[in-house]
Amino acid sequence: MDDEQTLLDALAEDLDHAFWQLATTYQDRLYIFALRLTGSIQDAEDSVQEALLGAYITLSHYPAARRRTLKLRPWLYKLLLNVVRNHRRHKYLLAMPLDLRDDGQALDLADTHKNEPERFFEQMENQQEMAKLVRTLPEQYQIVITCYYFEDLSYQEISELLDLPLGTVKSRLHRGLKVLHQTIQAQNRRSNTYGRR
Amino acid sequence: MEDANRPEIMQAPPSLLPKLEARLHNYRTYLTETKTLQDHIAMLQHPAWEIRSAAVEALGRYDPDTALEPLLEALSDENNIVRLTAISTLGHMDAHIPVDRLQRCLNDHDWQVREIAVLTLGRLGLPQTRQYVETARSDNSYEVRTAADRALQEYDRHHHQYSATPDETIGQTLRRTTPHNRTERISLFMNGTQLSPASTDQQVDLNSQEAVPALPARKRRMPLRLLLVAATAILLLAVLSAAGVEYGWWNAAFGNPNLYQTVQQRQTDQGVTVVVTKVYADEGRTVIAYDTYVANHDQNRQFFPDHYDVQGSAPQKQEPLNGVFGDGLKQGVTHFYMVLPAFQVPAGQNTVTITWDIGRMIVSQPGKNVNEPELEGHWHFSFTVPFHHTNNRQLPDPIHGELISH
């Protein structure tokens, strides 16, 4: 924490010099976060580069008082998320469904809380396999799950990062895990079917 | 095999920082190079956004009469950093500041752009823009809200400066500080807009008290008559609801008066009505039942709150117990209930006040794979309900009376 405040003070006083320290300190964390979201080394590297360059220029327009009070990690994550989202929109022109509407917004009176997907997630031994599956989810679920389970961010931190109310963060996490669980079940069924052939 | 699954990847590639350094070098070098105005304008079309951003910054050093137009165009650049650079640069153009354009940037879809717009308006401290910055206090973005709070402090600081010289009008203070742009500055205050020839056409007597509008009043008193009308309307609605008119019958039919508290609060926005019908709160969960419908009771569309926030008078447990459950569309109405984590109400208190703010609705056509546009709006509810100091695991759901299981 003290280190972060020292860095913030340095950014407020001498941006050009202190920015390099910021980039060196956060490059690995940002890169791994970007890699989890994009699944591609090249896209992750490009995204982090764009985010850090954007951070420098934005900081140069901030008053010194604003630089001193930044919460660096969530702020940088937020810049990076912006870049990744814009990159996706431009590169892939994704026609991603906003929600699994046919799934009825969890309109499932019959499907209550029996499956407990959170527990299921925690029990998964192969985290990398799980990360791969998470990337198949719609963006809104993918990001929340990545932040909560891989980046260990709290609900409050995710809420501030994504500019979503706490209730929405929780419901997206819950729904996302549910969809993930259904995906895994479907995958298992498919592999069992192929196995019998 | 996807890159992210390769086990050796735990750190950034060595090429990342050198590439960043090269781009940063290009950006900084551009700012120190000697170029003509036309060069900078041409560079606003450069494929690299950092070069466009540097060109915008460089344009800020030129005479506003020639640099203003290209800078205004840069406010529409596809890249958010270029747009925010343009805002920051325009904010330093003294009397040529296009206040109306800066205000419009408060609606930019990108939070970074909105944040810089708020900070810039705060730094300028013009009275006629204060209301817009106040609106930004309820922005979706945490950063923008924080910037708005900071900007309002700047406004107060400016206001105190003016108040420090009570024998002078604000116009006189301005005249003293910016003698060459007096007419323009007053016109800026009057019109709240860019100093175009049209706006300067308005001649103002700078010595009169009317030269500068008074600071906006903070509060307006609601006329007594309006209060009486509102109170009568609320009373009438309460009587109608109690009598079971409209959707009150649903509560009466399925509600359990011993468990669920009837609320019957309704809010309509974007043509969609949300009715909070009943609520239950205990130490294990909070259940809110609600209906959604539109005025014509459209049989083909359902409305789901998607972007919402629930707050209580007591802290809420941090647990992922959360679900929204609903019935099918019946006569144009969808009945829902949502299960939320419990509020931690102290033993001595028997009620909890809950506020629920919905910011967005998803529209769905049952059985059809059609994505309709989401509806942005604001449906606000606030209600106080009994809090049960128990953990009722046998709670029936408020729609069909079946057991809610967690």
Side-chain angles (χ1 to χ4, degrees), chain B residues 262-320:
Chain B
T262 301
V263 175
Q264 283 301 118
Q265 269 189 27
R266 84 190 59 221
Q267 286 279 312
T268 303
D269 195 6
Q270 302 292 322
V272 180
T273 299
V274 181
V275 188
V276 172
T277 53
K278 47 191 172 181
V279 177
Y280 174 84
D282 73 9
E283 290 173 352
R285 74 226 21 91
T286 308
V287 182
I288 299 176
Y290 57 97
D291 301 345
T292 63
Y293 60 91
V294 284
N296 64 357
H297 287 207
D298 191 335
Q299 301 285 340
N300 300 314
R301 292 195 302 162
Q302 286 184 295
F303 303 89
F304 308 97
D306 175 57
H307 195 288
Y308 60 85
D309 190 25
V310 178
Q311 300 284 338
S313 54
Q316 199 172 16
K317 285 184 182 173
Q318 294 289 307
E319 56 187 34

Side-chain angles (χ1 to χ4, degrees), chain A residues 6-24:
Chain A
T6 308
L7 179 54
L8 290 171
D9 288 341
L11 285 168
E13 282 159 26
D14 183 359
L15 175 62
D16 284 353
H17 184 256
F19 178 75
W20 215 240
Q21 195 188 336
L22 178 148
T24 312

Side-chain angles (χ1 to χ4, degrees), chain A residues 28 32 35 41 45 49-50 61-62 66 69 71 78-79 82 101 106 113 128 132 163 165 168, chain B residues 2-3 5 9-10 12 15 19 23 49 88 110 112 115 141-143 150 307-308 324 363 371 405:
Chain A
D28 289 341
I32 291 164
L35 194 56
I41 287 175
E45 185 180 353
Q49 222 185 84
E50 295 267 313
H61 292 289
Y62 276 160
R66 170 71 177 122
T69 54
K71 291 178 186 171
K78 208 164 174 175
L79 298 193
N82 240 7
R101 290 163 199 246
H113 303 275
Q128 285 179 349
K132 187 177 172 183
D163 290 327
T168 309
Chain B
E2 272 193 90
D3 294 333
N5 297 329
I9 296 172
M10 289 305 289
S15 57
K19 283 182 187 171
R23 289 179 71 178
W49 61 263
S88 182
D110 186 276
Q112 287 179 265
E115 184 193 21
S141 162
Y142 169 78
E143 276 74 15
R150 190 182 300 276
H307 195 288
Y308 60 85
V324 178
V363 187
N371 286 350
S405 56

Side-chain angles (χ1 to χ4, degrees), chain A residues 157-168:
Chain A
E157 285 171 320
I158 299 171
S159 163
E160 287 174 14
L161 179 67
L162 303 178
D163 290 327
L164 289 172
L166 269 180
T168 309

Side-chain angles (χ1 to χ4, degrees), chain B residues 2-289:
Chain B
E2 272 193 90
D3 294 333
N5 297 329
R6 283 160 51 178
E8 72 272 20
I9 296 172
M10 289 305 289
Q11 59 188 36
S15 57
L16 196 153
L17 288 187
K19 283 182 187 171
L20 174 67
E21 194 173 13
R23 289 179 71 178
L24 206 50
H25 176 77
N26 289 343
Y27 169 79
R28 286 172 175 156
T29 307
Y30 185 97
L31 289 174
T32 56
E33 280 175 350
T34 309
K35 283 189 165 64
T36 65
L37 176 75
Q38 289 311 315
D39 288 338
H40 293 311
I41 292 173
M43 282 298 170
L44 292 178
Q45 308 302 322
H46 196 280
W49 61 263
E50 65 268 27
I51 298 301
R52 297 203 300 278
S53 182
V56 165
E57 215 168 316
L59 280 169
R61 299 183 208 132
Y62 285 81
D63 179 4
D65 288 338
T66 48
L68 190 62
E69 275 308 313
L71 281 173
L72 290 176
E73 279 179 31
L75 289 175
S76 308
D77 194 283
E78 64 170 22
N79 183 277
N80 59 339
I81 306 295
V82 179
R83 293 201 300 280
L84 73 83
T85 304
I87 292 170
S88 182
T89 306
L90 285 164
H92 286 91
M93 299 194 89
D94 196 26
H96 290 77
I97 295 167
V99 181
D100 62 334
R101 295 296 298 271
L102 295 187
Q103 276 171 208
R104 265 188 259 163
C105 295
L106 295 173
N107 298 320
D108 196 286
H109 65 86
D110 186 276
W111 66 268
Q112 287 179 265
V113 177
R114 296 200 303 277
E115 184 193 21
I116 290 288
V118 166
L119 290 172
T120 303
L121 288 171
R123 187 175 53 73
L124 294 170
L126 300 174
Q128 79 271 28
T129 58
R130 185 185 174 113
Q131 58 178 314
Y132 297 100
V133 175
E134 281 188 342
T135 307
R137 292 177 83 187
S138 54
D139 193 281
N140 282 340
S141 162
Y142 169 78
E143 276 74 15
V144 179
R145 290 197 299 272
T146 309
D149 286 338
R150 190 182 300 276
L152 288 169
Q153 287 170 9
E154 289 286 312
Y155 275 97
D156 290 340
R157 199 172 56 78
H158 283 279
H159 178 63
H160 288 314
Q161 277 178 358
Y162 295 140
S163 309
T165 54
D167 56 328
E168 290 182 320
T169 64
I170 295 170
Q172 285 168 331
T173 308
L174 283 169
R175 194 173 341 141
R176 196 179 57 206
T177 53
T178 56
H180 301 297
N181 297 315
R182 200 164 68 208
T183 311
E184 292 170 327
R185 183 60 74 98
I186 295 300
S187 175
L188 180 81
F189 270 71
M190 294 300 288
N191 297 305
T193 185
Q194 179 190 334
L195 290 171
S196 61
S199 66
T200 49
D201 283 343
Q202 190 174 349
Q203 295 301 314
V204 180
D205 176 7
L206 299 182
N207 293 318
S208 76
Q209 288 291 328
E210 288 78 23
V212 177
L215 290 170
R218 281 180 171 247
K219 284 182 184 173
R220 287 183 184 175
R221 287 185 183 169
M222 192 179 282
L224 187 63
R225 190 177 295 173
L226 195 59
L227 278 174
L228 281 172
V229 171
T232 311
I234 290 168
L235 190 66
L236 189 64
L237 279 174
V239 169
L240 286 172
S241 296
V245 174
E246 216 169 341
Y247 297 101
W249 61 268
W250 182 69
N251 263 315
F254 298 108
N256 183 339
N258 296 325
L259 291 171
Y260 285 91
Q261 170 72 35
T262 301
V263 175
Q264 283 301 118
Q265 269 189 27
R266 84 190 59 221
Q267 286 279 312
T268 303
D269 195 6
Q270 302 292 322
V272 180
T273 299
V274 181
V275 188
V276 172
T277 53
K278 47 191 172 181
V279 177
Y280 174 84
D282 73 9
E283 290 173 352
R285 74 226 21 91
T286 308
V287 182
I288 299 176

Side-chain angles (χ1 to χ4, degrees), chain B residues 368-388:
Chain B
K368 294 182 184 175
N369 189 17
V370 178
N371 286 350
E372 290 206 29
E374 295 167 343
L375 292 173
E376 301 280 347
H378 189 200
W379 296 260
H380 170 79
F381 301 92
S382 181
F383 38 84
T384 301
V385 294
F387 184 83
H388 304 268

Side-chain angles (χ1 to χ4, degrees), chain A residues 13-177:
Chain A
E13 282 159 26
D14 183 359
L15 175 62
D16 284 353
H17 184 256
F19 178 75
W20 215 240
Q21 195 188 336
L22 178 148
T24 312
T25 306
Y26 284 96
Q27 60 162 335
D28 289 341
R29 299 191 80 152
L30 290 173
Y31 177 74
I32 291 164
F33 185 44
L35 194 56
R36 282 185 180 132
L37 292 174
T38 63
S40 150
I41 287 175
Q42 193 55 54
D43 288 347
E45 185 180 353
D46 290 347
S47 300
V48 175
Q49 222 185 84
E50 295 267 313
L52 285 172
L53 190 55
Y56 174 83
I57 297 175
T58 306
L59 286 168
S60 72
H61 292 289
Y62 276 160
R66 170 71 177 122
R67 289 185 214 159
R68 277 203 176 85
T69 54
L70 274 175
K71 291 178 186 171
L72 264 182
R73 184 185 167 209
W75 183 72
L76 288 168
Y77 272 35
K78 208 164 174 175
L79 298 193
L80 181 59
L81 262 178
N82 240 7
V83 172
V84 169
R85 284 168 162 169
N86 289 335
H87 191 63
R88 280 182 181 173
R89 284 183 197 118
H90 285 115
K91 189 174 177 184
Y92 305 111
L93 294 172
L94 274 184
M96 187 75 82
L98 286 165
D99 203 342
L100 300 184
R101 290 163 199 246
D102 287 342
D103 211 19
Q105 322 303 312
L107 286 178
D108 38 8
L109 282 169
D111 178 16
T112 53
H113 303 275
K114 291 169 197 163
N115 297 325
E116 297 188 46
E118 294 87 350
R119 200 170 298 167
F120 185 81
F121 190 98
E122 285 158 11
Q123 285 169 354
M124 280 294 292
E125 288 176 5
N126 191 338
Q127 292 281 304
Q128 285 179 349
E129 189 63 24
M130 183 54 86
K132 187 177 172 183
L133 278 172
V134 169
R135 277 195 297 281
T136 66
L137 293 175
E139 184 182 286
Q140 64 196 52
Y141 301 141
Q142 181 202 349
I143 292 173
V144 172
I145 290 177
T146 301
C147 290
Y148 189 79
Y149 286 102
F150 293 110
E151 299 297 328
D152 285 332
L153 297 179
S154 67
Y155 290 135
Q156 187 61 43
E157 285 171 320
I158 299 171
S159 163
E160 287 174 14
L161 179 67
L162 303 178
D163 290 327
L164 289 172
L166 269 180
T168 309
V169 170
K170 290 177 192 174
S171 68
R172 284 193 183 176
L173 188 65
H174 182 80
R175 287 192 215 168
L177 289 170

